[in-house]
Coordinates of all heavy atoms in Angstrom, one line a residue:
M1473 N 61.3 136.6 96.7 CA 62.5 136.3 97.6 C 63.3 137.5 97.9 O 64.0 138.0 97.0 CB 63.3 135.2 96.9 CG 62.7 133.8 96.8 SD 62.4 133.1 98.4 CE 63.5 131.7 98.4
N1474 N 63.0 138.1 99.0 CA 63.7 139.4 99.3 C 64.7 139.2 100.5 O 64.9 140.0 101.3 CB 62.8 140.5 99.6 CG 62.3 141.1 98.3 OD1 63.0 141.1 97.3 ND2 61.1 141.7 98.4
D1475 N 65.2 138.0 100.5 CA 66.2 137.7 101.6 C 67.5 138.5 101.4 O 68.1 138.4 100.4 CB 66.6 136.2 101.6 CG 65.7 135.4 102.5 OD1 65.0 136.0 103.3 OD2 65.7 134.2 102.4
E1476 N 67.8 139.3 102.3 CA 69.0 140.2 102.2 C 70.0 139.7 103.1 O 70.9 140.5 103.6 CB 68.6 141.6 102.5 CG 67.5 142.1 101.6 CD 67.9 143.4 100.8 OE1 68.9 144.0 101.2 OE2 67.2 143.7 99.8
H1477 N 70.0 138.4 103.4 CA 71.1 137.8 104.3 C 71.1 138.5 105.6 O 72.2 138.8 106.1 CB 72.4 137.8 103.6 CG 72.4 137.1 102.3 ND1 72.5 135.8 102.2 CD2 72.4 137.6 101.0 CE1 72.5 135.4 100.9 NE2 72.4 136.5 100.2
R1478 N 69.9 138.8 106.2 CA 69.9 139.5 107.4 C 70.4 138.6 108.6 O 70.9 139.1 109.5 CB 68.5 139.9 107.8 CG 68.1 141.2 107.2 CD 66.7 141.6 107.7 NE 66.0 142.4 106.7 CZ 64.7 142.6 106.7 NH1 64.0 142.1 107.6 NH2 64.2 143.3 105.7
N1479 N 70.2 137.3 108.4 CA 70.6 136.4 109.5 C 72.1 135.9 109.4 O 72.5 135.1 110.2 CB 69.7 135.2 109.5 CG 68.3 135.6 109.9 OD1 68.1 136.5 110.7 ND2 67.3 134.9 109.3
E1480 N 72.7 136.4 108.4 CA 74.1 136.0 108.3 C 75.0 136.6 109.4 O 74.8 137.7 109.8 CB 74.7 136.5 106.9 CG 75.5 135.5 106.2 CD 75.6 135.8 104.7 OE1 76.4 136.6 104.3 OE2 74.8 135.1 104.0
P1481 N 75.8 135.8 110.0 CA 76.7 136.3 111.0 C 77.6 137.3 110.5 O 78.1 137.3 109.4 CB 77.4 135.0 111.5 CG 77.4 134.1 110.4 CD 76.1 134.4 109.6
E1482 N 77.9 138.3 111.4 CA 78.8 139.3 111.0 C 80.2 138.7 111.1 O 80.7 138.2 112.1 CB 78.8 140.5 112.0 CG 77.4 141.2 112.0 CD 77.3 142.2 113.1 OE1 78.4 142.7 113.5 OE2 76.2 142.4 113.5
M1483 N 80.9 138.7 109.9 CA 82.2 138.0 109.9 C 83.3 139.0 110.3 O 83.9 138.8 111.3 CB 82.4 137.5 108.5 CG 81.5 136.3 108.2 SD 81.8 134.9 109.3 CE 83.4 134.3 108.7
L1484 N 83.6 139.9 109.5 CA 84.8 140.7 109.7 C 84.4 142.1 110.2 O 85.1 143.0 110.2 CB 85.7 140.8 108.5 CG 86.2 139.5 108.0 CD1 86.8 139.6 106.6 CD2 87.3 139.0 109.0
N1485 N 83.1 142.2 110.5 CA 82.5 143.5 110.9 C 83.0 143.9 112.2 O 83.4 145.0 112.5 CB 81.0 143.4 110.8 CG 80.4 144.4 109.8 OD1 81.1 145.3 109.4 ND2 79.2 144.2 109.4
D1486 N 82.7 143.0 113.2 CA 82.9 143.4 114.6 C 84.3 142.9 115.0 O 85.1 142.5 114.3 CB 81.8 142.7 115.3 CG 81.4 143.6 116.5 OD1 82.1 144.5 116.8 OD2 80.4 143.2 117.1
A1487 N 84.4 142.8 116.3 CA 85.6 142.2 116.9 C 85.6 140.7 116.4 O 84.6 140.1 116.3 CB 85.6 142.2 118.4
P1488 N 86.8 140.2 116.2 CA 86.9 138.8 115.8 C 86.5 137.9 116.9 O 86.7 138.2 118.1 CB 88.4 138.6 115.4 CG 89.1 139.7 116.1 CD 88.1 140.9 116.2
G1489 N 85.9 136.8 116.5 CA 85.4 135.9 117.5 C 84.7 134.8 116.9 O 84.5 134.7 115.7
M1490 N 84.2 133.9 117.8 CA 83.4 132.8 117.3 C 82.4 132.4 118.3 O 82.6 132.6 119.5 CB 84.3 131.6 117.0 CG 85.2 131.2 118.2 SD 86.1 129.6 117.9 CE 84.8 128.5 118.0
P1491 N 81.2 131.9 117.9 CA 80.2 131.5 118.9 C 80.6 130.2 119.6 O 81.1 129.3 118.9 CB 79.0 131.3 118.0 CG 79.4 131.1 116.6 CD 80.8 131.7 116.5
C1492 N 80.4 130.2 120.9 CA 80.6 129.0 121.6 C 79.6 127.9 121.2 O 78.4 128.1 121.1 CB 80.5 129.3 123.1 SG 80.5 127.8 124.2
P1493 N 80.1 126.7 120.9 CA 79.2 125.6 120.4 C 78.3 125.1 121.6 O 77.3 124.5 121.3 CB 80.2 124.5 120.0 CG 81.5 124.8 120.7 CD 81.5 126.3 120.9
E1494 N 78.7 125.5 122.8 CA 77.9 125.0 123.9 C 76.8 126.0 124.3 O 75.7 125.6 124.4 CB 78.9 124.8 125.1 CG 78.3 124.1 126.3 CD 77.9 122.6 126.0 OE1 78.6 122.0 125.1 OE2 77.0 122.1 126.6
C1495 N 77.2 127.2 124.5 CA 76.2 128.2 125.0 C 75.9 129.3 124.0 O 75.0 130.1 124.2 CB 76.6 128.8 126.3 SG 78.1 129.9 126.1
G1496 N 76.6 129.3 122.9 CA 76.4 130.3 121.9 C 77.0 131.7 122.2 O 76.8 132.6 121.4
F1497 N 77.6 131.8 123.3 CA 78.2 133.1 123.6 C 79.3 133.4 122.6 O 80.1 132.5 122.2 CB 78.8 133.0 125.1 CG 79.4 134.3 125.5 CD1 78.6 135.3 126.0 CD2 80.8 134.5 125.5 CE1 79.1 136.5 126.5 CE2 81.3 135.7 125.9 CZ 80.5 136.7 126.4
R1498 N 79.4 134.6 122.2 CA 80.4 135.0 121.3 C 81.7 135.2 122.0 O 81.9 136.1 122.7 CB 80.0 136.3 120.6 CG 80.9 136.6 119.4 CD 80.4 137.9 118.7 NE 81.3 138.4 117.8 CZ 81.3 138.0 116.5 NH1 80.4 137.2 116.1 NH2 82.2 138.5 115.7
I1499 N 82.6 134.2 121.7 CA 83.9 134.3 122.3 C 84.8 135.2 121.5 O 85.0 135.0 120.3 CB 84.6 132.9 122.3 CG1 83.7 131.9 123.1 CG2 85.9 132.9 123.0 CD1 84.1 130.4 122.9
R1500 N 85.2 136.2 122.2 CA 86.1 137.2 121.4 C 87.5 136.7 121.5 O 88.1 136.6 122.5 CB 85.9 138.6 122.1 CG 84.5 139.1 122.0 CD 84.4 140.4 122.6 NE 85.0 141.4 121.7 CZ 84.9 142.7 122.0 NH1 84.3 143.2 123.1 NH2 85.4 143.6 121.1
I1501 N 88.0 136.4 120.3 CA 89.4 136.0 120.3 C 90.0 136.5 119.0 O 89.4 136.5 117.9 CB 89.5 134.5 120.3 CG1 91.0 134.1 120.3 CG2 88.7 133.8 119.3 CD1 91.2 132.6 120.7
G1502 N 91.2 137.1 119.1 CA 91.8 137.6 118.0 C 92.4 136.5 117.1 O 92.6 135.4 117.6
M1503 N 92.5 136.8 115.9 CA 93.0 135.7 115.0 C 94.4 135.2 115.4 O 94.7 134.1 115.3 CB 93.0 136.2 113.5 CG 91.9 135.7 112.7 SD 91.9 136.3 111.1 CE 90.7 137.6 111.2
R1504 N 95.2 136.2 115.8 CA 96.5 135.8 116.2 C 96.5 134.9 117.4 O 97.2 133.9 117.5 CB 97.3 137.1 116.5 CG 98.2 137.4 115.4 CD 99.0 138.7 115.7 NE 98.5 139.7 114.8 CZ 98.8 141.0 114.9 NH1 99.4 141.4 116.0 NH2 98.4 141.9 114.1
D1505 N 95.6 135.2 118.4 CA 95.4 134.3 119.5 C 95.0 132.9 119.1 O 95.5 131.9 119.6 CB 94.4 134.9 120.5 CG 94.9 136.2 121.1 OD1 96.2 136.3 121.3 OD2 94.1 137.0 121.5
L1506 N 94.0 132.9 118.2 CA 93.5 131.7 117.7 C 94.6 130.9 117.0 O 94.7 129.6 117.2 CB 92.4 132.0 116.7 CG 91.6 130.8 116.2 CD1 90.9 130.1 117.3 CD2 90.6 131.2 115.1
L1507 N 95.5 131.5 116.4 CA 96.6 130.8 115.7 C 97.6 130.3 116.7 O 98.2 129.3 116.4 CB 97.2 131.7 114.6 CG 96.4 132.1 113.4 CD1 97.0 133.2 112.6 CD2 96.2 130.8 112.6
R1508 N 97.8 131.0 117.7 CA 98.8 130.6 118.7 C 98.4 129.7 119.8 O 99.1 129.0 120.3 CB 99.4 131.9 119.3 CG 100.3 132.6 118.3 CD 100.8 133.9 118.9 NE 101.5 134.7 117.9 CZ 101.9 135.9 118.0 NH1 101.6 136.6 119.1 NH2 102.5 136.6 117.1
S1509 N 97.1 129.9 120.1 CA 96.6 129.1 121.3 C 96.3 127.7 120.9 O 95.9 127.4 119.8 CB 95.3 129.8 121.9 OG 95.5 131.1 122.0
R1510 N 96.4 126.8 121.9 CA 96.0 125.4 121.7 C 94.6 125.3 122.2 O 93.9 124.4 121.7 CB 96.9 124.5 122.5 CG 98.3 124.3 121.8 CD 99.0 123.1 122.5 NE 98.4 121.9 122.1 CZ 98.7 121.1 121.0 NH1 99.7 121.6 120.3 NH2 98.1 120.0 120.7
Y1511 N 94.2 126.1 123.1 CA 92.9 126.0 123.7 C 92.2 127.4 123.7 O 92.9 128.4 123.9 CB 92.9 125.5 125.1 CG 93.5 124.1 125.2 CD1 94.8 123.9 125.5 CD2 92.7 123.0 125.0 CE1 95.4 122.7 125.6 CE2 93.2 121.7 125.1 CZ 94.6 121.6 125.4 OH 95.1 120.3 125.5
I1512 N 90.9 127.4 123.5 CA 90.1 128.6 123.7 C 89.1 128.3 124.8 O 88.5 127.2 124.9 CB 89.3 128.8 122.4 CG1 90.3 128.9 121.2 CG2 88.5 130.1 122.5 CD1 89.6 128.9 119.9
N1513 N 89.0 129.3 125.7 CA 88.0 129.1 126.8 C 86.8 130.0 126.6 O 87.0 131.2 126.3 CB 88.7 129.4 128.1 CG 89.7 128.3 128.5 OD1 89.3 127.2 128.7 ND2 91.0 128.7 128.5
C1514 N 85.7 129.5 126.7 CA 84.5 130.3 126.7 C 84.4 131.0 128.1 O 84.3 130.3 129.1 CB 83.2 129.5 126.4 SG 81.7 130.4 126.6
P1515 N 84.3 132.3 128.1 CA 84.2 133.1 129.3 C 82.9 132.9 130.1 O 82.8 133.2 131.2 CB 84.4 134.5 128.9 CG 84.1 134.6 127.5 CD 84.3 133.2 126.9
K1516 N 81.9 132.4 129.3 CA 80.6 132.3 129.9 C 80.3 130.9 130.6 O 80.0 130.8 131.8 CB 79.5 132.5 128.9 CG 78.1 132.8 129.5 CD 77.2 133.3 128.5 CE 75.8 133.6 129.1 NZ 74.8 133.9 128.1
C1517 N 80.5 129.8 129.8 CA 80.3 128.5 130.4 C 81.6 127.8 130.7 O 81.6 126.6 131.1 CB 79.4 127.7 129.4 SG 80.3 127.2 127.9
L1518 N 82.7 128.5 130.4 CA 84.0 127.9 130.7 C 84.4 126.7 130.0 O 85.2 125.9 130.4 CB 84.2 127.7 132.2 CG 83.9 128.9 133.1 CD1 84.1 128.5 134.6 CD2 84.8 130.0 132.8
L1519 N 83.7 126.5 128.9 CA 84.0 125.4 128.0 C 85.4 125.5 127.4 O 85.8 126.6 127.0 CB 83.0 125.3 126.9 CG 83.2 124.2 125.8 CD1 82.8 122.8 126.4 CD2 82.5 124.5 124.6
Q1520 N 86.1 124.5 127.4 CA 87.5 124.6 126.8 C 87.5 123.9 125.5 O 87.2 122.7 125.3 CB 88.5 123.9 127.7 CG 89.9 124.2 127.3 CD 90.9 123.6 128.3 OE1 91.0 122.4 128.5 NE2 91.7 124.4 128.9
L1521 N 87.8 124.7 124.5 CA 87.8 124.2 123.1 C 89.2 123.9 122.7 O 90.1 124.8 122.9 CB 87.2 125.2 122.1 CG 85.7 125.5 122.3 CD1 85.3 126.7 121.5 CD2 84.9 124.3 121.8
E1522 N 89.5 122.8 122.2 CA 90.8 122.5 121.8 C 90.9 122.9 120.3 O 90.0 122.6 119.5 CB 91.2 121.0 121.9 CG 92.6 120.8 121.6 CD 93.1 119.3 121.9 OE1 92.2 118.6 122.3 OE2 94.2 119.0 121.6
V1523 N 91.9 123.6 120.0 CA 92.2 124.0 118.6 C 92.9 122.8 117.9 O 94.0 122.6 118.2 CB 93.0 125.3 118.5 CG1 93.2 125.6 117.0 CG2 92.3 126.4 119.2
D1524 N 92.1 122.1 117.1 CA 92.7 120.9 116.5 C 93.5 121.4 115.3 O 93.0 121.7 114.2 CB 91.6 120.0 116.0 CG 92.1 118.7 115.6 OD1 93.3 118.6 115.2 OD2 91.4 117.7 115.7
R1525 N 94.8 121.5 115.5 CA 95.6 122.1 114.4 C 95.7 121.2 113.2 O 95.8 121.7 112.1 CB 97.0 122.4 115.0 CG 97.0 123.5 115.9 CD 98.4 123.8 116.4 NE 98.3 125.1 117.1 CZ 98.4 126.3 116.5 NH1 98.5 126.3 115.3 NH2 98.3 127.4 117.3
E1526 N 95.7 119.9 113.4 CA 95.8 119.0 112.2 C 94.5 119.1 111.4 O 94.6 119.2 110.2 CB 96.0 117.6 112.7 CG 97.5 117.4 113.1 CD 97.8 116.0 113.4 OE1 97.1 115.1 113.0 OE2 98.8 115.7 114.2
K1527 N 93.4 119.0 112.1 CA 92.1 119.0 111.3 C 91.9 120.3 110.7 O 91.3 120.4 109.6 CB 91.0 118.6 112.3 CG 90.7 117.1 112.3 CD 89.5 116.9 113.0 CE 89.4 115.4 113.4 NZ 88.3 115.1 114.4
S1528 N 92.3 121.4 111.4 CA 91.9 122.7 110.9 C 93.2 123.4 110.3 O 93.2 124.6 110.2 CB 91.4 123.6 112.0 OG 92.2 123.4 113.2
A1529 N 94.1 122.6 109.9 CA 95.3 123.1 109.3 C 95.0 124.0 108.1 O 95.6 125.1 108.0 CB 96.3 122.0 108.9
R1530 N 94.1 123.6 107.3 CA 93.8 124.4 106.1 C 93.2 125.7 106.5 O 93.5 126.8 106.0 CB 92.9 123.6 105.2 CG 93.7 122.9 104.1 CD 92.8 122.3 103.1 NE 93.3 121.0 102.7 CZ 92.6 120.1 102.0 NH1 91.4 120.3 101.7 NH2 93.1 118.9 101.7
S1531 N 92.2 125.6 107.4 CA 91.5 126.8 107.9 C 92.5 127.7 108.5 O 92.4 129.0 108.4 CB 90.4 126.5 108.8 OG 89.8 125.2 108.5
L1532 N 93.4 127.2 109.3 CA 94.4 128.0 110.0 C 95.3 128.7 109.0 O 95.6 129.8 109.2 CB 95.2 127.1 111.0 CG 94.4 126.7 112.3 CD1 95.3 125.8 113.1 CD2 94.0 127.9 113.1
E1533 N 95.6 127.9 108.0 CA 96.4 128.6 107.0 C 95.7 129.8 106.3 O 96.3 130.8 106.2 CB 96.7 127.5 105.8 CG 98.1 127.1 105.8 CD 98.3 126.0 104.8 OE1 98.0 126.2 103.6 OE2 98.8 124.9 105.1
L1534 N 94.4 129.5 106.1 CA 93.6 130.6 105.5 C 93.6 131.8 106.5 O 93.7 132.9 106.1 CB 92.2 130.1 105.1 CG 92.1 129.2 103.9 CD1 90.7 128.7 103.8 CD2 92.5 130.0 102.7
L1535 N 93.3 131.4 107.7 CA 93.2 132.5 108.8 C 94.6 133.2 108.8 O 94.6 134.4 109.0 CB 92.9 131.8 110.1 CG 91.5 131.6 110.4 CD1 91.3 130.9 111.8 CD2 90.7 132.9 110.4
Q1536 N 95.6 132.5 108.7 CA 96.9 133.1 108.8 C 97.1 134.1 107.7 O 97.6 135.2 107.9 CB 98.0 132.1 108.8 CG 99.3 132.6 109.4 CD 100.1 131.4 110.1 OE1 99.9 130.3 109.7 NE2 100.8 131.7 111.1
S1537 N 96.8 133.7 106.5 CA 97.0 134.6 105.4 C 96.0 135.8 105.5 O 96.3 136.9 105.2 CB 96.8 134.0 104.0 OG 95.9 132.8 104.1
L1538 N 94.8 135.5 106.1 CA 93.9 136.6 106.3 C 94.4 137.5 107.4 O 94.3 138.8 107.2 CB 92.5 136.0 106.8 CG 91.4 136.9 106.9 CD1 91.1 137.6 105.6 CD2 90.2 136.2 107.4
S1539 N 95.0 136.9 108.4 CA 95.6 137.8 109.5 C 96.6 138.7 108.9 O 96.7 139.8 109.3 CB 96.1 136.8 110.5 OG 96.9 137.6 111.5
V1540 N 97.5 138.1 108.0 CA 98.5 138.9 107.4 C 97.9 140.0 106.6 O 98.4 141.2 106.7 CB 99.4 138.0 106.5 CG1 100.4 138.9 105.7 CG2 100.2 137.1 107.4
A1541 N 96.9 139.7 105.9 CA 96.2 140.7 105.0 C 95.6 141.8 105.9 O 95.7 143.0 105.6 CB 95.1 140.0 104.2
L1542 N 95.0 141.4 107.0 CA 94.4 142.4 107.9 C 95.5 143.3 108.5 O 95.3 144.5 108.7 CB 93.7 141.7 109.1 CG 92.3 141.1 108.6 CD1 91.7 140.3 109.8 CD2 91.4 142.1 108.1
D1543 N 96.7 142.7 108.8 CA 97.8 143.4 109.4 C 98.2 144.5 108.3 O 98.4 145.6 108.7 CB 99.0 142.5 109.6 CG 98.9 141.9 111.0 OD1 98.0 142.3 111.8 OD2 99.7 141.0 111.3
N1544 N 98.2 144.1 107.1 CA 98.6 145.0 106.0 C 97.6 146.2 106.0 O 98.0 147.3 105.8 CB 98.7 144.3 104.7 CG 99.9 143.4 104.6 OD1 100.8 143.5 105.4 ND2 99.8 142.4 103.7
I1545 N 96.3 145.8 106.1 CA 95.3 146.9 106.1 C 95.5 147.8 107.2 O 95.4 149.0 107.1 CB 93.9 146.2 106.1 CG1 93.7 145.5 104.8 CG2 92.8 147.3 106.4 CD1 92.4 144.6 104.9
E1546 N 95.8 147.3 108.4 CA 96.0 148.1 109.6 C 97.2 149.1 109.3 O 97.1 150.2 109.7 CB 96.3 147.2 110.8 CG 95.1 146.6 111.4 CD 94.0 147.7 111.8 OE1 94.4 148.6 112.5 OE2 92.9 147.5 111.4
E1547 N 98.2 148.5 108.7 CA 99.4 149.4 108.5 C 99.0 150.5 107.5 O 99.4 151.6 107.7 CB 100.5 148.5 107.9 CG 101.5 148.0 108.9 CD 102.5 147.1 108.3 OE1 103.1 147.5 107.2 OE2 102.8 146.1 108.9
L1548 N 98.2 150.1 106.5 CA 97.8 151.1 105.5 C 97.0 152.2 106.2 O 97.1 153.4 105.9 CB 97.0 150.5 104.4 CG 97.8 149.7 103.4 CD1 96.9 149.0 102.4 CD2 98.8 150.5 102.7
K1549 N 96.2 151.8 107.2 CA 95.3 152.7 107.9 C 96.1 153.7 108.6 O 95.8 154.9 108.8 CB 94.4 152.0 108.9 CG 93.1 151.5 108.3 CD 92.2 151.0 109.4 CE 91.1 150.1 108.9 NZ 90.5 149.3 109.9
H1550 N 97.3 153.3 109.2 CA 98.1 154.1 110.0 C 98.9 155.1 109.1 O 99.4 156.1 109.6 CB 99.0 153.3 110.9 CG 98.3 152.6 112.0 ND1 97.6 153.3 112.9 CD2 98.1 151.3 112.3 CE1 97.0 152.5 113.8 NE2 97.3 151.2 113.4
Q1551 N 99.0 154.7 107.9 CA 99.8 155.6 107.0 C 98.8 156.7 106.5 O 98.1 156.5 105.5 CB 100.4 154.9 105.8 CG 101.5 153.9 106.3 CD 102.0 153.0 105.2 OE1 101.5 153.1 104.1 NE2 102.9 152.1 105.5
K1552 N 98.8 157.8 107.2 CA 97.9 158.9 106.8 C 98.4 159.6 105.6 O 99.6 159.9 105.6 CB 97.7 159.8 107.9 CG 96.8 159.2 109.0 CD 96.6 160.2 110.2 CE 95.9 159.5 111.3 NZ 95.9 160.2 112.5
P1553 N 97.6 159.9 104.6 CA 98.1 160.6 103.4 C 98.5 162.0 103.8 O 97.9 162.7 104.6 CB 96.8 160.6 102.5 CG 95.7 160.3 103.4 CD 96.2 159.5 104.5
G1554 N 99.5 162.5 103.2 CA 99.9 163.8 103.4 C 100.9 163.8 104.5 O 101.3 164.5 105.3
Ligands
LIG518 ZN1 80.1 128.8 126.2

C-alpha cells in the first residue's frame, strides 16, 4: 500500500474554494465571502448555492476560527524580521 494521498483535494494549498456540486468547477471563494454571503454562484454553470447557515453553523464556526487564524498568519507574514 503506497498510497500517498495523491487524490486528496488541495485544501489550504491553493486559492480557497470549493468544487461545484453540479459541474465540478472549482468555485473560487474566499472564506470571508463564504461567511458573509447567503449565496454562492458557480461561474461556469451559474448554479446558485444557498449557504445554509443553520445546517452549517458548526462548519461556519470552524471556518470562522480558521479564517481568523489565517488572518493572523497573514499578519505575521507582513511583519518582516529586522
Ligand atoms: Zn457549476
Side-chain angles (χ1 to χ4, degrees):
M1473 291 297 247
N1474 278 333
D1475 269 345
E1476 303 234 346
H1477 302 284
R1478 270 186 215 166
N1479 293 327
E1480 221 158 84
E1482 296 173 28
M1483 287 300 286
L1484 298 168
N1485 240 341
D1486 214 350
M1490 55 172 285
C1492 171
E1494 190 67 28
C1495 68
F1497 183 81
R1498 189 177 170 90
I1499 304 168
R1500 297 180 75 175
I1501 182 166
M1503 256 180 264
R1504 261 178 245 164
D1505 292 331
L1506 187 62
L1507 289 170
R1508 283 176 190 168
S1509 314
R1510 285 192 72 91
Y1511 298 97
I1512 304 168
N1513 289 296
C1514 172
K1516 195 171 182 185
C1517 70
L1518 304 180
L1519 177 78
Q1520 192 176 60
L1521 293 167
E1522 186 175 358
V1523 180
D1524 193 333
R1525 289 183 170 277
E1526 281 185 24
K1527 271 190 195 167
S1528 45
R1530 266 187 219 165
S1531 328
L1532 285 175
E1533 250 175 57
L1534 287 175
L1535 275 178
Q1536 202 146 26
S1537 26
L1538 186 59
S1539 172
V1540 171
L1542 287 175
D1543 276 352
N1544 290 339
I1545 291 172
E1546 282 302 312
E1547 265 176 45
L1548 287 176
K1549 271 188 200 166
H1550 289 299
Q1551 291 172 5
K1552 288 179 187 170

